[in-house]
Amino acid sequence: MNVDPVEQARSSTDFFAPLVPGQLGCVFDHAAADLVVGHIDVTENLIAGTGFLFAPAVIALADTCAAIGCGITIPAGSSFTTIELKSNFLSSARMGERVVCRCTPQHLGRQTQVWDAEVVNDTTGRTMALFRCTQM
């Protein structure tokens, strides 16, 4: 059954709203087997002592995008977990800016999946983080 990627994204946003991703402001815009897109609008509560976006919010956005993609691609009723993740931070964001994550599968195996994400400061156009995770 094919679900509209925008509707799937809305459903994901609703599902995660009371959980940590929702508490950090993660909103999902597109959710399909080949691409998951989400964003965070940086608010005052997400600013670290440095004046920039708290790095774990970026990890939460990227890892949740990967989780949504993984969930779409595995059989109904199956479960999975992140077994490894890595992120390289290249820049950051300030209050009032929008951070966008684009996540794509690199490997969709029988037992593991590998997802890559690029997180961009949509306001400045600068790449903020390169993220990779493995799901099992």
Side-chain angles (χ1 to χ4, degrees):
M1 176 174 99
N2 286 338
V3 177
D4 174 61
V6 173
E7 186 54 42
Q8 180 70 48
R10 263 191 222 110
S11 176
S12 296
T13 298
D14 292 344
F15 175 81
F16 284 108
L19 305 174
V20 171
Q23 293 171 359
L24 293 172
C26 295
V27 175
F28 305 98
D29 307 300
H30 180 99
D34 62 342
L35 173 68
V36 179
V37 179
H39 73 271
I40 294 176
D41 290 323
V42 182
T43 55
E44 185 176 2
N45 64 314
L46 297 177
I47 297 298
T50 61
F52 291 95
L53 177 61
F54 187 52
V58 176
I59 296 293
L61 176 62
D63 192 46
T64 307
C65 284
I68 291 168
C70 186
I72 290 170
T73 62
I74 63 174
S78 297
S79 187
F80 63 91
T81 190
T82 301
I83 59 172
E84 181 179 34
L85 62 82
K86 180 187 186 333
S87 186
N88 291 96
F89 288 91
L90 308 171
S91 67
S92 192
R94 292 188 181 271
M95 192 169 69
E97 296 180 332
R98 176 170 280 192
V99 173
V100 176
C101 177
R102 295 179 56 85
C103 192
T104 57
Q106 301 305 306
H107 167 72
L108 298 175
R110 288 182 309 205
Q111 296 185 358
T112 60
Q113 295 189 8
V114 177
W115 287 78
D116 282 351
E118 180 180 22
V119 182
V120 174
N121 181 325
D122 199 45
T123 306
T124 65
R126 293 183 67 189
T127 298
M128 289 178 51
L130 301 173
F131 173 90
R132 173 169 274 192
C133 75
T134 304
Q135 308 276 11
M136 179 175 75

